[in-house]
Short mmCIF file of all heavy atoms in Angstrom, two decimals:
data_model
loop_
_atom_site.label_atom_id
_atom_site.label_comp_id
_atom_site.label_asym_id
_atom_site.label_seq_id
_atom_site.Cartn_x
_atom_site.Cartn_y
_atom_site.Cartn_z
N MET F 29 -4.83 99.81 -74.28
CA MET F 29 -5.06 98.46 -73.89
C MET F 29 -6.21 98.36 -72.99
O MET F 29 -6.30 99.11 -72.04
CB MET F 29 -3.77 97.86 -73.29
CG MET F 29 -3.83 96.37 -72.87
SD MET F 29 -2.38 95.84 -72.14
CE MET F 29 -1.40 95.50 -73.64
N THR F 30 -7.11 97.39 -73.16
CA THR F 30 -8.26 97.24 -72.22
C THR F 30 -8.00 96.00 -71.36
O THR F 30 -7.12 95.18 -71.56
CB THR F 30 -9.50 97.04 -73.03
OG1 THR F 30 -9.34 95.88 -73.91
CG2 THR F 30 -9.79 98.22 -73.91
N GLY F 31 -8.85 95.99 -70.31
CA GLY F 31 -8.77 94.79 -69.45
C GLY F 31 -7.71 94.90 -68.38
O GLY F 31 -7.54 93.98 -67.67
N GLN F 32 -7.05 96.06 -68.29
CA GLN F 32 -5.96 96.23 -67.32
C GLN F 32 -6.40 97.03 -66.11
O GLN F 32 -5.65 97.16 -65.15
CB GLN F 32 -4.74 96.80 -67.90
CG GLN F 32 -4.09 96.02 -68.95
CD GLN F 32 -3.63 94.71 -68.48
OE1 GLN F 32 -2.89 94.56 -67.52
NE2 GLN F 32 -4.00 93.61 -69.13
N GLU F 33 -7.59 97.56 -66.11
CA GLU F 33 -8.11 98.33 -64.97
C GLU F 33 -8.41 97.43 -63.85
O GLU F 33 -9.03 96.41 -63.97
CB GLU F 33 -9.31 99.09 -65.37
CG GLU F 33 -9.15 100.04 -66.59
CD GLU F 33 -8.97 101.51 -66.12
OE1 GLU F 33 -9.45 101.82 -65.05
OE2 GLU F 33 -8.34 102.24 -66.87
N ARG F 34 -7.97 97.85 -62.66
CA ARG F 34 -8.28 97.10 -61.48
C ARG F 34 -9.41 97.75 -60.65
O ARG F 34 -9.48 98.95 -60.58
CB ARG F 34 -7.02 97.04 -60.58
CG ARG F 34 -6.02 96.05 -61.04
CD ARG F 34 -5.05 95.65 -59.94
NE ARG F 34 -4.13 96.79 -59.70
CZ ARG F 34 -2.80 96.68 -59.81
NH1 ARG F 34 -2.26 95.56 -60.16
NH2 ARG F 34 -2.05 97.70 -59.55
N THR F 35 -10.30 96.91 -60.19
CA THR F 35 -11.34 97.45 -59.30
C THR F 35 -10.71 97.82 -58.01
O THR F 35 -9.53 97.42 -57.68
CB THR F 35 -12.38 96.32 -59.06
OG1 THR F 35 -11.82 95.25 -58.32
CG2 THR F 35 -12.98 95.80 -60.36
N PRO F 36 -11.37 98.65 -57.13
CA PRO F 36 -10.83 98.92 -55.79
C PRO F 36 -10.54 97.70 -54.98
O PRO F 36 -9.52 97.68 -54.29
CB PRO F 36 -11.93 99.75 -55.21
CG PRO F 36 -12.72 100.37 -56.39
CD PRO F 36 -12.63 99.35 -57.45
N GLU F 37 -11.32 96.72 -55.13
CA GLU F 37 -11.07 95.47 -54.39
C GLU F 37 -9.80 94.78 -54.85
O GLU F 37 -9.01 94.28 -54.02
CB GLU F 37 -12.27 94.49 -54.51
CG GLU F 37 -13.56 94.91 -53.76
CD GLU F 37 -14.31 96.02 -54.50
OE1 GLU F 37 -14.01 96.27 -55.72
OE2 GLU F 37 -15.12 96.67 -53.85
N GLU F 38 -9.61 94.80 -56.21
CA GLU F 38 -8.35 94.22 -56.70
C GLU F 38 -7.17 95.02 -56.32
O GLU F 38 -6.09 94.48 -56.06
CB GLU F 38 -8.50 94.06 -58.24
CG GLU F 38 -9.40 92.95 -58.63
CD GLU F 38 -9.73 93.04 -60.15
OE1 GLU F 38 -9.69 94.20 -60.77
OE2 GLU F 38 -10.15 91.94 -60.69
N GLU F 39 -7.35 96.28 -56.31
CA GLU F 39 -6.24 97.17 -55.92
C GLU F 39 -5.84 96.90 -54.51
O GLU F 39 -4.64 96.81 -54.19
CB GLU F 39 -6.68 98.63 -56.12
CG GLU F 39 -5.57 99.64 -55.94
CD GLU F 39 -4.67 99.67 -57.17
OE1 GLU F 39 -4.98 99.07 -58.23
OE2 GLU F 39 -3.59 100.25 -57.07
N LEU F 40 -6.79 96.81 -53.61
CA LEU F 40 -6.60 96.51 -52.19
C LEU F 40 -5.85 95.22 -52.04
O LEU F 40 -4.81 95.04 -51.32
CB LEU F 40 -7.86 96.51 -51.45
CG LEU F 40 -7.76 96.38 -49.89
CD1 LEU F 40 -6.91 97.49 -49.30
CD2 LEU F 40 -9.14 96.35 -49.24
N GLU F 41 -6.33 94.20 -52.77
CA GLU F 41 -5.73 92.86 -52.72
C GLU F 41 -4.28 92.92 -53.25
O GLU F 41 -3.48 92.24 -52.69
CB GLU F 41 -6.56 91.87 -53.58
CG GLU F 41 -6.21 90.42 -53.34
CD GLU F 41 -6.35 90.00 -51.89
OE1 GLU F 41 -7.34 90.47 -51.23
OE2 GLU F 41 -5.48 89.24 -51.44
N HIS F 42 -4.02 93.72 -54.24
CA HIS F 42 -2.73 93.87 -54.79
C HIS F 42 -1.79 94.38 -53.69
O HIS F 42 -0.69 93.84 -53.47
CB HIS F 42 -2.74 94.84 -55.99
CG HIS F 42 -1.36 95.30 -56.37
ND1 HIS F 42 -0.51 94.46 -57.03
CD2 HIS F 42 -0.76 96.48 -56.25
CE1 HIS F 42 0.62 95.15 -57.29
NE2 HIS F 42 0.50 96.33 -56.82
N TRP F 43 -2.20 95.48 -53.06
CA TRP F 43 -1.31 96.01 -52.01
C TRP F 43 -1.14 95.10 -50.75
O TRP F 43 -0.08 95.12 -50.14
CB TRP F 43 -1.74 97.43 -51.62
CG TRP F 43 -1.48 98.39 -52.69
CD1 TRP F 43 -2.41 99.02 -53.53
CD2 TRP F 43 -0.22 98.78 -53.18
NE1 TRP F 43 -1.78 99.74 -54.47
CE2 TRP F 43 -0.43 99.66 -54.34
CE3 TRP F 43 1.07 98.52 -52.85
CZ2 TRP F 43 0.58 100.26 -55.03
CZ3 TRP F 43 2.10 99.11 -53.54
CH2 TRP F 43 1.88 99.97 -54.62
N ARG F 44 -2.15 94.36 -50.46
CA ARG F 44 -2.03 93.38 -49.36
C ARG F 44 -1.05 92.34 -49.68
O ARG F 44 -0.20 91.92 -48.90
CB ARG F 44 -3.47 92.69 -49.15
CG ARG F 44 -4.32 93.57 -48.25
CD ARG F 44 -5.55 92.82 -47.97
NE ARG F 44 -6.44 93.55 -47.10
CZ ARG F 44 -7.75 93.52 -47.04
NH1 ARG F 44 -8.39 92.79 -47.90
NH2 ARG F 44 -8.47 94.23 -46.18
N SER F 45 -0.99 91.94 -50.96
CA SER F 45 -0.05 90.98 -51.42
C SER F 45 1.40 91.49 -51.40
O SER F 45 2.38 90.86 -51.08
CB SER F 45 -0.36 90.31 -52.75
OG SER F 45 -0.04 91.25 -53.75
N VAL F 46 1.50 92.77 -51.74
CA VAL F 46 2.79 93.45 -51.70
C VAL F 46 3.29 93.50 -50.20
O VAL F 46 4.43 93.24 -49.97
CB VAL F 46 2.71 94.90 -52.30
CG1 VAL F 46 4.00 95.66 -51.99
CG2 VAL F 46 2.47 94.85 -53.79
N GLU F 47 2.37 93.89 -49.36
CA GLU F 47 2.77 93.99 -47.94
C GLU F 47 3.19 92.62 -47.41
O GLU F 47 4.17 92.47 -46.69
CB GLU F 47 1.58 94.48 -47.15
CG GLU F 47 1.91 94.66 -45.63
CD GLU F 47 0.77 95.19 -44.86
OE1 GLU F 47 -0.20 95.64 -45.43
OE2 GLU F 47 0.93 95.17 -43.62
N LYS F 48 2.48 91.58 -47.79
CA LYS F 48 2.75 90.20 -47.37
C LYS F 48 4.16 89.79 -47.81
O LYS F 48 4.90 89.22 -47.06
CB LYS F 48 1.73 89.23 -47.87
CG LYS F 48 1.85 87.90 -47.31
CD LYS F 48 0.64 86.99 -47.79
CE LYS F 48 0.79 85.60 -47.22
NZ LYS F 48 -0.37 84.75 -47.67
N ARG F 49 4.41 90.08 -49.08
CA ARG F 49 5.74 89.73 -49.60
C ARG F 49 6.85 90.51 -48.81
O ARG F 49 7.94 89.96 -48.59
CB ARG F 49 5.82 90.04 -51.10
CG ARG F 49 5.34 88.87 -51.93
CD ARG F 49 5.29 89.20 -53.39
NE ARG F 49 4.20 90.19 -53.69
CZ ARG F 49 4.03 90.78 -54.94
NH1 ARG F 49 4.85 90.41 -55.85
NH2 ARG F 49 3.06 91.56 -55.07
N LEU F 50 6.60 91.81 -48.60
CA LEU F 50 7.64 92.61 -47.85
C LEU F 50 7.84 91.99 -46.48
O LEU F 50 9.01 91.91 -45.97
CB LEU F 50 7.19 94.02 -47.76
CG LEU F 50 7.33 94.88 -49.01
CD1 LEU F 50 6.70 96.25 -48.83
CD2 LEU F 50 8.75 95.05 -49.37
N ARG F 51 6.75 91.63 -45.84
CA ARG F 51 6.87 91.08 -44.45
C ARG F 51 7.59 89.74 -44.49
O ARG F 51 8.32 89.43 -43.54
CB ARG F 51 5.52 90.99 -43.78
CG ARG F 51 4.92 92.30 -43.39
CD ARG F 51 3.62 92.12 -42.72
NE ARG F 51 2.92 93.37 -42.35
CZ ARG F 51 3.26 94.14 -41.37
NH1 ARG F 51 4.21 93.74 -40.45
NH2 ARG F 51 2.63 95.28 -41.09
N ASN F 52 7.32 88.94 -45.45
CA ASN F 52 8.02 87.68 -45.61
C ASN F 52 9.49 87.82 -45.85
O ASN F 52 10.28 87.07 -45.39
CB ASN F 52 7.38 86.84 -46.74
CG ASN F 52 6.00 86.28 -46.45
OD1 ASN F 52 5.70 86.14 -45.26
ND2 ASN F 52 5.27 85.85 -47.41
N LEU F 53 9.85 88.94 -46.59
CA LEU F 53 11.17 89.18 -46.90
C LEU F 53 11.93 89.75 -45.70
O LEU F 53 13.05 89.36 -45.36
CB LEU F 53 11.27 90.10 -48.06
CG LEU F 53 12.69 90.45 -48.67
CD1 LEU F 53 13.25 89.18 -49.28
CD2 LEU F 53 12.54 91.50 -49.73
N HIS F 54 11.29 90.72 -45.02
CA HIS F 54 11.87 91.42 -43.98
C HIS F 54 11.47 90.78 -42.61
O HIS F 54 10.95 91.45 -41.77
CB HIS F 54 11.54 92.90 -43.94
CG HIS F 54 12.06 93.69 -45.12
ND1 HIS F 54 13.22 94.42 -44.98
CD2 HIS F 54 11.68 93.71 -46.39
CE1 HIS F 54 13.45 94.98 -46.21
NE2 HIS F 54 12.58 94.53 -47.02
N TYR F 55 11.74 89.49 -42.46
CA TYR F 55 11.31 88.82 -41.23
C TYR F 55 12.35 89.04 -40.15
O TYR F 55 13.51 89.39 -40.46
CB TYR F 55 10.99 87.32 -41.47
CG TYR F 55 12.25 86.55 -41.83
CD1 TYR F 55 13.06 85.95 -40.89
CD2 TYR F 55 12.59 86.35 -43.17
CE1 TYR F 55 14.15 85.21 -41.19
CE2 TYR F 55 13.69 85.61 -43.51
CZ TYR F 55 14.49 85.03 -42.56
OH TYR F 55 15.58 84.27 -42.92
N ARG F 56 11.91 88.89 -38.93
CA ARG F 56 12.73 89.13 -37.83
C ARG F 56 13.75 87.96 -37.60
O ARG F 56 13.33 86.83 -37.56
CB ARG F 56 11.90 89.23 -36.54
CG ARG F 56 12.71 89.63 -35.29
CD ARG F 56 11.81 89.94 -34.15
NE ARG F 56 12.56 90.58 -33.10
CZ ARG F 56 12.09 91.53 -32.25
NH1 ARG F 56 10.82 91.92 -32.37
NH2 ARG F 56 12.80 92.12 -31.38
N ASP F 57 14.96 88.28 -37.43
CA ASP F 57 15.98 87.34 -37.17
C ASP F 57 16.73 87.74 -35.90
O ASP F 57 17.64 88.58 -35.92
CB ASP F 57 17.01 87.26 -38.35
CG ASP F 57 18.01 86.24 -38.20
OD1 ASP F 57 17.92 85.37 -37.20
OD2 ASP F 57 18.98 86.18 -38.95
N GLY F 58 16.32 87.18 -34.79
CA GLY F 58 16.78 87.69 -33.48
C GLY F 58 16.34 89.12 -33.24
O GLY F 58 15.11 89.38 -33.33
N ASP F 59 17.28 90.03 -33.02
CA ASP F 59 16.87 91.45 -32.91
C ASP F 59 17.10 92.18 -34.19
O ASP F 59 16.97 93.45 -34.20
CB ASP F 59 17.81 92.06 -31.81
CG ASP F 59 17.41 91.51 -30.43
OD1 ASP F 59 16.26 91.19 -30.24
OD2 ASP F 59 18.37 91.52 -29.60
N HIS F 60 17.30 91.50 -35.29
CA HIS F 60 17.59 92.18 -36.50
C HIS F 60 16.71 91.75 -37.64
O HIS F 60 16.06 90.68 -37.68
CB HIS F 60 19.03 91.90 -36.90
CG HIS F 60 19.99 92.30 -35.87
ND1 HIS F 60 20.54 91.36 -34.97
CD2 HIS F 60 20.54 93.46 -35.51
CE1 HIS F 60 21.36 92.00 -34.10
NE2 HIS F 60 21.42 93.27 -34.43
N CYS F 61 16.66 92.60 -38.69
CA CYS F 61 15.97 92.23 -39.92
C CYS F 61 16.83 91.26 -40.66
O CYS F 61 18.05 91.34 -40.69
CB CYS F 61 15.69 93.51 -40.76
SG CYS F 61 14.94 93.08 -42.38
N ALA F 62 16.12 90.25 -41.29
CA ALA F 62 16.90 89.23 -41.98
C ALA F 62 17.60 89.73 -43.21
O ALA F 62 18.53 89.10 -43.69
CB ALA F 62 16.00 87.99 -42.31
N VAL F 63 17.13 90.73 -43.81
CA VAL F 63 17.69 91.14 -45.13
C VAL F 63 18.33 92.53 -45.15
O VAL F 63 19.21 92.81 -45.93
CB VAL F 63 16.57 91.05 -46.25
CG1 VAL F 63 16.25 89.65 -46.46
CG2 VAL F 63 15.43 91.97 -45.96
N CYS F 64 17.93 93.46 -44.22
CA CYS F 64 18.45 94.77 -44.21
C CYS F 64 19.83 94.76 -43.55
O CYS F 64 20.06 94.10 -42.51
CB CYS F 64 17.54 95.72 -43.53
SG CYS F 64 16.07 96.11 -44.52
N THR F 65 20.72 95.59 -44.13
CA THR F 65 21.99 95.71 -43.53
C THR F 65 22.20 97.22 -43.22
O THR F 65 21.50 98.10 -43.69
CB THR F 65 23.16 95.31 -44.49
OG1 THR F 65 23.01 95.98 -45.72
CG2 THR F 65 23.03 93.84 -44.77
N THR F 66 23.14 97.51 -42.35
CA THR F 66 23.43 98.82 -42.05
C THR F 66 24.22 99.46 -43.19
O THR F 66 24.63 98.78 -44.21
CB THR F 66 24.32 98.93 -40.78
OG1 THR F 66 25.57 98.33 -41.03
CG2 THR F 66 23.69 98.27 -39.59
N ASP F 67 24.51 100.75 -43.00
CA ASP F 67 25.29 101.41 -44.12
C ASP F 67 26.71 100.79 -44.22
O ASP F 67 27.40 100.88 -45.25
CB ASP F 67 25.45 102.94 -43.73
CG ASP F 67 24.13 103.63 -43.90
OD1 ASP F 67 23.27 103.04 -44.60
OD2 ASP F 67 23.96 104.71 -43.38
N PHE F 68 27.14 100.12 -43.14
CA PHE F 68 28.48 99.48 -43.20
C PHE F 68 28.40 98.15 -43.93
O PHE F 68 29.43 97.63 -44.33
CB PHE F 68 28.94 99.28 -41.82
CG PHE F 68 29.07 100.55 -40.99
CD1 PHE F 68 28.19 100.81 -40.01
CD2 PHE F 68 30.11 101.40 -41.28
CE1 PHE F 68 28.27 101.98 -39.33
CE2 PHE F 68 30.23 102.60 -40.52
CZ PHE F 68 29.32 102.89 -39.54
N GLY F 69 27.21 97.62 -44.12
CA GLY F 69 27.07 96.39 -44.95
C GLY F 69 27.45 95.12 -44.21
O GLY F 69 27.60 94.09 -44.83
N ARG F 70 27.72 95.21 -42.88
CA ARG F 70 28.18 94.06 -42.17
C ARG F 70 27.01 93.48 -41.28
O ARG F 70 26.66 92.39 -41.34
CB ARG F 70 29.41 94.30 -41.39
CG ARG F 70 30.64 94.54 -42.22
CD ARG F 70 31.91 94.67 -41.35
NE ARG F 70 31.79 95.75 -40.43
CZ ARG F 70 31.91 95.58 -39.10
NH1 ARG F 70 32.12 94.44 -38.54
NH2 ARG F 70 31.89 96.70 -38.29
N LEU F 71 26.58 94.34 -40.41
CA LEU F 71 25.58 93.93 -39.41
C LEU F 71 24.21 94.11 -39.94
O LEU F 71 23.95 94.99 -40.77
CB LEU F 71 25.75 94.72 -38.11
CG LEU F 71 27.14 94.66 -37.42
CD1 LEU F 71 27.17 95.63 -36.33
CD2 LEU F 71 27.38 93.26 -36.94
N ASN F 72 23.30 93.24 -39.55
CA ASN F 72 21.87 93.41 -39.97
C ASN F 72 21.36 94.63 -39.17
O ASN F 72 21.67 94.92 -38.09
CB ASN F 72 21.11 92.16 -39.57
CG ASN F 72 21.40 91.02 -40.49
OD1 ASN F 72 22.02 91.20 -41.55
ND2 ASN F 72 20.94 89.86 -40.11
N ALA F 73 20.43 95.32 -39.82
CA ALA F 73 19.68 96.48 -39.24
C ALA F 73 18.81 95.96 -38.15
O ALA F 73 18.28 94.89 -38.26
CB ALA F 73 18.94 97.18 -40.30
N PRO F 74 18.68 96.70 -37.06
CA PRO F 74 17.80 96.35 -35.94
C PRO F 74 16.38 96.23 -36.52
O PRO F 74 15.94 96.91 -37.42
CB PRO F 74 17.89 97.52 -35.04
CG PRO F 74 19.15 98.17 -35.32
CD PRO F 74 19.35 98.01 -36.79
N PHE F 75 15.68 95.22 -35.94
CA PHE F 75 14.30 95.02 -36.33
C PHE F 75 13.41 95.69 -35.29
O PHE F 75 13.68 95.68 -34.09
CB PHE F 75 13.96 93.48 -36.28
CG PHE F 75 12.66 93.16 -36.94
CD1 PHE F 75 12.56 92.90 -38.32
CD2 PHE F 75 11.50 93.17 -36.14
CE1 PHE F 75 11.34 92.63 -38.87
CE2 PHE F 75 10.29 92.96 -36.77
CZ PHE F 75 10.18 92.57 -38.05
N PRO F 76 12.25 96.35 -35.70
CA PRO F 76 11.86 96.48 -37.08
C PRO F 76 12.69 97.41 -37.90
O PRO F 76 13.03 98.48 -37.46
CB PRO F 76 10.39 96.97 -37.01
CG PRO F 76 10.36 97.66 -35.65
CD PRO F 76 11.29 96.95 -34.72
N CYS F 77 12.99 97.02 -39.09
CA CYS F 77 13.81 97.90 -39.94
C CYS F 77 12.93 98.95 -40.56
O CYS F 77 11.74 99.04 -40.31
CB CYS F 77 14.42 97.04 -41.08
SG CYS F 77 13.17 96.34 -42.17
N ALA F 78 13.55 99.83 -41.31
CA ALA F 78 12.75 101.03 -41.88
C ALA F 78 11.62 100.58 -42.73
O ALA F 78 10.57 101.22 -42.72
CB ALA F 78 13.77 101.87 -42.67
N THR F 79 11.77 99.47 -43.47
CA THR F 79 10.72 99.02 -44.26
C THR F 79 9.50 98.58 -43.47
O THR F 79 8.39 98.96 -43.79
CB THR F 79 11.20 97.81 -45.15
OG1 THR F 79 12.27 98.27 -45.92
CG2 THR F 79 10.07 97.31 -46.03
N ILE F 80 9.75 97.78 -42.42
CA ILE F 80 8.66 97.32 -41.56
C ILE F 80 8.01 98.49 -40.88
O ILE F 80 6.83 98.57 -40.70
CB ILE F 80 9.12 96.27 -40.58
CG1 ILE F 80 9.54 94.99 -41.41
CG2 ILE F 80 8.05 95.91 -39.65
CD1 ILE F 80 8.48 94.34 -42.19
N ARG F 81 8.87 99.39 -40.37
CA ARG F 81 8.31 100.58 -39.69
C ARG F 81 7.47 101.44 -40.62
O ARG F 81 6.41 101.94 -40.18
CB ARG F 81 9.44 101.46 -39.14
CG ARG F 81 10.14 100.90 -37.95
CD ARG F 81 10.93 101.95 -37.17
NE ARG F 81 11.72 102.76 -37.90
CZ ARG F 81 13.01 102.58 -38.21
NH1 ARG F 81 13.61 101.45 -37.76
NH2 ARG F 81 13.68 103.38 -38.97
N ALA F 82 7.86 101.47 -41.83
CA ALA F 82 6.99 102.26 -42.81
C ALA F 82 5.65 101.56 -43.01
O ALA F 82 4.65 102.18 -43.11
CB ALA F 82 7.74 102.36 -44.08
N LEU F 83 5.67 100.24 -43.00
CA LEU F 83 4.39 99.52 -43.16
C LEU F 83 3.52 99.67 -41.95
O LEU F 83 2.31 99.84 -42.12
CB LEU F 83 4.71 97.98 -43.32
CG LEU F 83 5.19 97.49 -44.70
CD1 LEU F 83 5.51 96.05 -44.66
CD2 LEU F 83 4.10 97.80 -45.76
N GLU F 84 4.14 99.67 -40.74
CA GLU F 84 3.33 99.70 -39.56
C GLU F 84 2.92 101.10 -39.07
O GLU F 84 1.84 101.27 -38.50
CB GLU F 84 4.03 98.85 -38.48
CG GLU F 84 4.19 97.46 -38.88
CD GLU F 84 4.72 96.59 -37.73
OE1 GLU F 84 5.23 97.15 -36.76
OE2 GLU F 84 4.54 95.35 -37.87
N ASN F 85 3.89 102.01 -39.16
CA ASN F 85 3.67 103.31 -38.61
C ASN F 85 3.41 104.42 -39.56
O ASN F 85 3.10 105.54 -39.22
CB ASN F 85 4.83 103.73 -37.72
CG ASN F 85 5.04 102.70 -36.61
OD1 ASN F 85 4.03 102.13 -36.10
ND2 ASN F 85 6.27 102.56 -36.18
N LYS F 86 3.48 104.04 -40.84
CA LYS F 86 3.33 105.03 -41.94
C LYS F 86 4.28 106.21 -41.70
O LYS F 86 4.01 107.39 -41.94
CB LYS F 86 1.92 105.57 -42.00
CG LYS F 86 0.92 104.47 -42.01
CD LYS F 86 0.85 103.63 -43.28
CE LYS F 86 -0.30 102.71 -43.41
NZ LYS F 86 -0.32 101.60 -42.43
N GLU F 87 5.48 105.86 -41.14
CA GLU F 87 6.43 106.91 -40.91
C GLU F 87 6.90 107.58 -42.17
O GLU F 87 7.12 106.85 -43.16
CB GLU F 87 7.73 106.34 -40.23
CG GLU F 87 7.63 106.21 -38.73
CD GLU F 87 8.86 105.76 -38.15
OE1 GLU F 87 9.91 105.68 -38.82
OE2 GLU F 87 8.89 105.46 -36.88
N PRO F 88 7.06 108.86 -42.21
CA PRO F 88 7.61 109.44 -43.44
C PRO F 88 9.00 109.01 -43.62
O PRO F 88 9.87 109.07 -42.61
CB PRO F 88 7.48 110.97 -43.15
CG PRO F 88 7.45 111.06 -41.65
CD PRO F 88 6.78 109.77 -41.12
N THR F 89 9.40 108.69 -44.79
CA THR F 89 10.78 108.30 -45.07
C THR F 89 11.38 109.43 -45.93
O THR F 89 10.80 109.84 -46.95
CB THR F 89 10.80 106.93 -45.86
OG1 THR F 89 9.92 107.04 -47.01
CG2 THR F 89 10.37 105.82 -44.93
N THR F 90 12.50 109.85 -45.41
CA THR F 90 13.07 110.99 -46.16
C THR F 90 14.15 110.53 -47.11
O THR F 90 14.59 109.35 -47.06
CB THR F 90 13.78 111.90 -45.12
OG1 THR F 90 14.65 111.16 -44.28
CG2 THR F 90 12.72 112.62 -44.27
ZN1 ZN Q 153 14.30 94.98 -43.46
#
């Protein structure tokens, strides 16, 4: 299939839009992430959650 190759600029724009969507989804709600929950599934995870930390600090996620 042709026409699907992205230029470096388009690739960068793609990942910027991904990051924007993640940040919109994982917004801060008080001291917690609005969408992440703990393993217990009741309380929201502390903000910044693992997703936001990964975006900002490039922390290795195991
Ligand atoms: Zn989150």
